[in-house]
Amino acid sequence: MNSSQLIGITTFTYLFSTILYAVVFIFKTKRLGPVATIFTIIAFLIQTAGIGLRWLESYQMGMGRAPLTNMYESVVFFAWTIIFIYLIIEWKFKTRIIGAFAVPFALLAMAYASFASGITKEIVPLIPALQSNWLITHVVTCFIGYAAFAVAAGLGIMYLIKNTSETRQAASNDTTLLGSLPPLKVLDDITHKTMVFGFLWLSIGIITGAIWANSAWGTYWSWDPKETWSLITWFIYAITLHARYTRGWGGTRIAWLAIFGFISVIFTYYGVNFLLSGLHSYGSSN
Amino acid sequence: MKNRNPIWDFFASVKLALFTLFFLSTTSIIGTIIPQKESVQWYSERYGEATANLFRVLSFTPDMYNSVWFLCLLGLLCLNLIVCSLDRFPGVWRQIKADNLDTPLNRLEKMEPQCRWQLDNPPESTTSALKIFLKTSGWKAEERKLDNSFLLFAQKGAMTRTGVYIVHTSILVIFAGAIIGSILGFKGSIMLPETKSTDKAYTFDTHSPINLGFEIRCDRFNVELYDNGMPKSYRSQLTILENGKVVKEKAIVVNDPLSYKGITFYQSSYEPSQDFLITITNKNTGLSETAIIPYQQQRSLEKNGLRLGVVSAEAQGQSVSKIKIWLNDDKGAPSLFWLNNGEQVTVERTKNSYTVSAKQMYATGLQVAKDPGVWTVYTGCALMIFGLVIAFFMSHQRIWLYIREETDGKNSILMAGNANKNKAGFEKTFQALSQIIKKV
Ligand code: HEM
């Protein structure tokens, strides 16, 4: 069994998790809830083992490096972080329904990592510029931020769905499908908290990236497209925080901003590599 | 209320902040789509003369992020931050320093959360017991005796109200660092052949020379490859000289630069050259000589009285892996032999035996930066994280305990509190605390 196989298995287990959470949500089979959670935890552990094994394999191949340095590895880590953050939210806020909206993001990421063409799964050694501890700190912190924003976008979608249906039916929501979703106020609150958490980590991610650039090239900020897009994303969330905190925005507007912000995250992470040119190695290394 | 100045209000408003942030994010996109810092011809060829001209007039090219209008936007953000903070901070400071024992009773009665209960003990002893309890559980507590009652006030995290201002200040500190760097620093590069030294670097933008104030020499440059041919490391052995004297030596690799007198040298690129560095030692006499020999040219090594040349070489890309050397000391037929790049072989001649080593020569590409603002920027970054953690996760929590002797001889207590953030969390803390206090 090698790491790619383990990580490949994770794709299917997350598919199954998604289905379980969807069943819990759609058919309100509350008894299946703990099953979904336990299954997701197992999938998460398998993935953790896969990532750990990949790390070990790189040592066996004589280049010992953290598995965080190309598109494949970063997407896998992204999925891992989404599940990690989701599980914390499930535990903290005691609600499972969010799983039906958060786990699919991890599934999509894993499916992309496993099946997209042009993604290499090989463990390749690090070129000199990537040999830095700041790189690892940078990738880990950025991805914690990105994953939080993914979960926030999932929550935003939930909010909008529930909100439109409530305004249409205006009453007796316990009988409807969406009645099982947490109340709008709670969704709004969790969305905001998740975004705040993501904002802190994105800030740290941008800073560690700057420190790394400075140690490698002597310039902490060079307005390269990836840097600029991460700043744009950061601005979007800064706008969201201020609009909420000082102008009292909430509800649908914040939900839309959560989704909009995540689109910017995706573009920073993915679009920049393929549509624009720049220093960052993800994508160019395949 | 003081008379408000509309201009001041404009620059203090959060609306302006939202506008500026929005405008900054949208305009930033332009420079990620139109490649920056290319030549005039490049833009004309890519976009056509008319469009290229338009871009230039709008300062989208060649360097939008340093254009006047973009810097003005950043300046507007700073001005907004400064005015906004000056406008609000005094109020926040008053809240931090407020005498909360002055809080009118009718405000306490309306405050949420709150709870009331009856007391058995007299107010005086209850108050002092509660005060000790609160102090030992980490609250700052103070009390005041009113007519026939006591007011006890306790708080936590008053200073956390400054968190937001720390974040905002940190942005100004980062900008200050960037300005210091752009005024007092420079960014340049050097292409330095092995064994050569220089005391000049050339700036990126104008290619004008900068005097370093000392000399830097590249003693050796090495490329190490992985088995699959990917580069593993680029290493330059550098020496700093002042007035001809060696003052510092270091081997640099990417991510591990050399700094001297505020100027830092980063490994950034290299160029293979057509020259070879050959060292030859006569094993009998111990005489050693090093020479730079261009490809396929013959050179005399006077001390050892012999002639040498590189007649052929095998290369992987631009990097030579094997070298074929011709050597003649006029005692017997000339020797012809292969050796691996960078390695040493022994050559037996009729009279003498020599060790010969040879390597392809390179020029190392160094980036040279002087940026006295970096530490200011880093300080700003640290402040930002510090401030964000405070602003997001800490709050100012206050509780009041009003203990009164009733006319019927019974004593009653009113406990009320508030927090500036995370009200739900505070309510839990408040309930738990009130349960304990009831027992004190
Ligand atoms: C990119 C720049 C900025 C960042 C990163 C930033 C960050 C923050 C943060 C983290 C908060 C706390 C929000 C919360 O607790 O949920 C905040 C609040 C605030 N910000 Fe900013 N800010 C920025 C720019 C500005 C500007 C330009 C203004 C100018 C008006 C401003 C005005 C405020 C105000 C008034 C508050 C509320 C403070 C309070 O009443 O407690 N911010 N900011």
Side-chain angles (χ1 to χ4, degrees):
Chain A
M1 177 85 56
N2 66 28
S3 64
S4 303
Q5 286 168 318
L6 270 182
I7 292 170
I9 291 173
T10 322
T11 313
F12 293 99
T13 45
Y14 285 155
L15 174 64
F16 202 62
S17 290
T18 304
I19 295 172
L20 280 174
Y21 277 116
V23 167
V24 172
F25 167 51
I26 295 169
F27 301 104
K28 293 204 222 162
T29 37
K30 283 229 163 67
R31 266 175 305 140
L32 266 185
V35 180
T37 305
I38 289 168
F39 200 80
T40 309
I41 292 174
I42 293 172
F44 178 74
L45 292 177
I46 294 175
Q47 193 183 14
T48 311
I51 294 173
L53 189 59
R54 196 177 167 88
W55 203 330
L56 214 71
E57 282 166 5
S58 78
Y59 272 96
Q60 283 158 359
M61 292 167 76
M63 49 197 157
R65 60 184 197 51
L68 297 167
T69 48
N70 60 22
M71 193 51 146
Y72 173 73
E73 292 173 340
S74 70
V75 173
V76 169
F77 182 68
F78 182 41
W80 185 88
T81 324
I82 290 174
I83 296 296
F84 186 63
I85 290 177
Y86 165 68
L87 286 173
I88 290 177
I89 290 181
E90 182 182 310
W91 171 69
K92 234 189 118 148
F93 295 93
K94 311 268 178 284
T95 163
R96 284 213 172 82
I97 308 300
I98 297 169
F101 293 83
V103 180
F105 282 111
L107 170 66
L108 281 178
M110 288 306 298
Y112 176 74
S114 305
F115 304 120
S117 59
I119 277 210
T120 174
K121 293 178 196 156
E122 244 174 272
I123 301 184
V124 289
L126 293 185
I127 58 165
L130 300 183
Q131 297 164 11
S132 163
N133 288 332
W134 286 110
L135 166 72
I136 298 168
T137 331
H138 172 56
V139 174
V140 170
T141 49
C142 279
F143 277 89
I144 295 174
Y146 291 176
F149 292 141
V151 175
L155 288 159
I157 295 171
M158 283 172 85
Y159 187 97
L160 293 176
I161 294 176
K162 179 147 174 142
N163 191 46
T164 36
S165 83
E166 274 194 4
T167 41
R168 229 185 294 129
Q169 310 184 334
S172 66
N173 39 39
D174 264 359
T175 56
T176 68
L177 172 61
L178 299 159
S180 57
L181 290 180
L184 284 177
K185 253 187 98 164
V186 174
L187 279 179
D188 183 53
D189 183 51
I190 307 178
T191 312
H192 173 68
K193 285 189 170 134
T194 315
M195 276 198 280
V196 160
F197 180 78
F199 187 76
L200 174 67
W201 286 99
L202 179 62
S203 308
I204 302 176
I206 293 175
I207 290 172
T208 49
I211 298 175
W212 171 35
N214 193 50
S215 70
W217 297 286
T219 316
Y220 50 83
W221 193 261
S222 52
W223 293 103
D224 110 299
K226 191 119 187 164
E227 283 172 359
T228 308
W229 269 97
S230 70
L231 189 69
I232 292 168
T233 306
W234 192 73
F235 281 153
I236 292 175
Y237 286 103
I239 290 171
T240 310
L241 290 181
H242 286 84
R244 185 187 174 94
Y245 196 72
T246 62
R247 308 206 60 81
W249 284 27
T252 16
R253 285 173 171 178
I254 295 293
W256 276 112
L257 279 169
I259 295 167
F260 191 65
F262 186 59
I263 293 172
S264 179
V265 168
I266 292 292
F267 196 81
T268 308
Y269 171 28
Y270 184 79
V272 172
N273 295 322
F274 294 95
L275 304 176
L276 310 169
S277 58
L279 287 173
H280 282 71
S281 70
Y282 299 154
S284 58
S285 64
N286 53 44
Chain B
M1 277 306 289
K2 68 178 170 189
N3 224 346
R4 312 250 348 167
N5 175 341
I7 297 173
W8 177 269
D9 276 1
F10 173 75
F11 284 109
S13 75
V14 181
K15 262 194 199 147
L16 178 65
L18 295 177
F19 167 83
T20 316
L21 288 173
F22 177 77
F23 220 67
L24 271 172
S25 22
T26 41
T27 53
S28 289
I29 297 174
I30 299 168
T32 68
I33 293 169
I34 306 172
Q36 299 287 298
K37 299 191 175 170
E38 302 288 349
S39 67
V40 177
Q41 297 95 294
W42 192 93
Y43 288 115
S44 309
E45 277 164 30
R46 170 111 179 225
Y47 298 104
E49 202 64 50
T51 318
N53 274 336
L54 180 66
F55 284 172
R56 202 164 45 245
V57 170
L58 295 173
S59 301
F60 290 174
T61 63
D63 190 1
M64 189 192 94
Y65 300 106
N66 285 310
S67 68
V68 173
W69 66 262
F70 195 80
L71 294 178
C72 281
L73 268 182
L74 292 176
L76 182 61
L77 184 73
C78 290
L79 183 65
N80 191 192
L81 268 173
I82 294 170
V83 177
C84 175
S85 302
L86 289 178
D87 193 52
R88 292 176 182 241
F89 191 73
V92 170
W93 191 248
R94 253 177 271 129
Q95 269 184 311
I96 293 172
K97 289 288 159 199
D99 179 7
N100 289 288
L101 289 171
D102 248 5
T103 313
L105 265 182
N106 56 4
R107 264 195 60 205
L108 294 186
E109 311 226 315
K110 278 183 254 149
M111 202 176 275
E112 281 298 332
Q114 64 162 264
C115 56
R116 297 160 192 269
W117 65 93
Q118 301 283 318
L119 280 179
D120 303 327
N121 299 332
E124 205 135 19
S125 60
T126 311
T127 307
S128 54
L130 281 177
K131 190 173 170 189
I132 291 168
F133 164 73
L134 284 167
K135 278 196 167 160
T136 49
S137 26
W139 294 80
K140 263 197 182 143
E142 47 193 355
E143 76 191 65
R144 186 170 297 165
K145 185 168 169 22
L146 308 174
D147 295 337
N148 58 344
S149 56
F150 288 87
L151 185 60
L152 184 58
F153 171 74
Q155 63 178 345
K156 261 183 184 169
M159 276 308 193
T160 64
R161 284 188 186 264
T162 60
V164 169
Y165 296 88
I166 296 175
V167 176
H168 289 159
T169 309
S170 75
I171 293 167
L172 298 173
V173 173
I174 291 171
F175 276 123
I179 293 169
I180 294 174
S182 69
I183 293 175
L184 302 176
F186 65 79
K187 299 265 151 71
S189 63
I190 303 179
M191 191 51 82
L192 190 58
E194 279 179 283
T195 73
K196 296 285 191 299
S197 64
T198 181
D199 59 0
K200 285 192 179 55
Y202 294 87
T203 56
F204 277 146
D205 35 9
T206 59
H207 302 285
S208 47
I210 309 158
N211 254 322
L212 298 174
F214 51 83
E215 266 188 280
I216 178 159
R217 187 176 71 208
C218 174
D219 299 312
R220 281 286 181 282
F221 174 81
N222 282 333
V223 186
E224 228 187 305
L225 302 178
Y226 291 106
D227 295 339
N228 68 359
M230 283 173 64
K232 181 175 186 180
S233 77
Y234 306 119
R235 179 183 303 270
S236 301
Q237 178 69 45
L238 300 179
T239 301
I240 305 277
L241 301 139
E242 263 190 294
N243 308 318
K245 274 208 303 265
V246 175
V247 288
K248 190 163 185 175
E249 287 178 301
K250 182 173 179 184
I252 66 162
V253 293
V254 184
N255 279 310
D256 184 18
L258 159 72
S259 284
Y260 184 70
K261 291 205 167 158
I263 301 179
T264 311
F265 299 88
Y266 300 83
Q267 182 68 55
S268 77
S269 63
Y270 69 97
E271 271 175 13
S273 85
Q274 292 276 9
D275 296 348
F276 291 82
L277 186 72
I278 298 191
T279 305
I280 184 159
T281 311
N282 184 325
K283 280 192 158 176
N284 304 355
T285 62
L287 224 63
S288 185
E289 244 174 307
T290 299
I292 295 167
I293 302 182
Y295 189 51
Q296 293 184 334
Q297 288 187 29
Q298 204 186 91
R299 284 289 145 93
S300 300
L301 299 180
E302 308 289 347
K303 272 201 260 173
N304 280 300
L306 42 76
R307 283 169 298 144
L308 253 174
V310 174
V311 292
S312 173
E314 277 179 13
Q316 259 187 341
Q318 286 188 304
S319 297
V320 167
S321 54
K322 290 176 85 179
I323 302 165
K324 191 176 190 184
I325 290 181
W326 174 93
L327 182 156
N328 194 0
D329 58 1
D330 294 326
K331 298 180 179 76
S335 301
L336 258 182
F337 54 92
W338 283 96
L339 79 173
N340 287 335
N341 186 43
E343 284 179 7
Q344 177 175 308
V345 293
T346 303
V347 184
E348 303 292 346
R349 303 283 302 164
T350 43
K351 276 260 178 82
N352 287 308
S353 87
Y354 301 94
T355 58
V356 181
S357 68
K359 75 179 276 286
Q360 179 191 20
M361 290 188 73
Y362 291 93
T364 184
L366 302 175
Q367 278 198 36
V368 188
K370 178 176 169 186
D371 191 343
V374 163
W375 285 103
T376 312
V377 171
Y378 286 178
T379 308
C381 292
L383 268 182
M384 177 183 288
I385 302 306
F386 178 67
L388 283 177
V389 170
I390 294 177
F392 288 156
F393 304 119
M394 295 180 187
S395 61
H396 182 197
Q397 309 178 353
R398 295 183 286 188
I399 27 178
W400 287 265
L401 291 153
Y402 180 62
I403 301 149
R404 183 167 49 177
E405 198 166 355
E406 302 287 353
T407 41
D408 55 6
K410 285 256 174 72
N411 304 310
S412 76
I413 187 165
L414 163 67
M415 176 172 169
N418 70 21
N420 65 335
K421 262 179 254 166
N422 189 16
K423 309 227 173 327
F426 177 71
E427 250 189 80
K428 279 190 203 142
T429 316
F430 183 87
Q431 298 308 345
L433 198 64
S434 69
Q435 290 309 314
I436 304 172
I437 285 181
K438 276 178 192 169
K439 290 183 201 124
V440 170

